[in-house]
Amino acid sequence: MVYSFFIFILAGLCEIGGGYLIWLWLREGQPSWLGVIGGVILI
């Protein structure tokens, strides 16, 4: 049960973090490597 909870929390953090990195790349004009890292995190 603890393992499942850990995976759930990790997936949520990856989704938020990856989406945020892509948002920085698209909306804030940050370097494209942030978008690539965000995409990898989301995958």
Side-chain angles (χ1 to χ4, degrees):
M1 173 110 175
V2 173
Y3 179 73
S4 296
F5 183 72
F6 174 73
I7 295 296
F8 178 76
I9 295 298
L10 182 63
L13 290 174
C14 287
E15 183 177 350
I16 292 168
Y20 181 67
L21 289 176
I22 291 175
W23 180 80
L24 283 177
W25 169 53
L26 291 175
R27 299 289 183 182
E28 301 294 324
Q30 298 296 323
S32 61
W33 58 268
L34 279 179
V36 172
I37 292 173
V40 168
I41 289 172
L42 284 173
I43 290 172

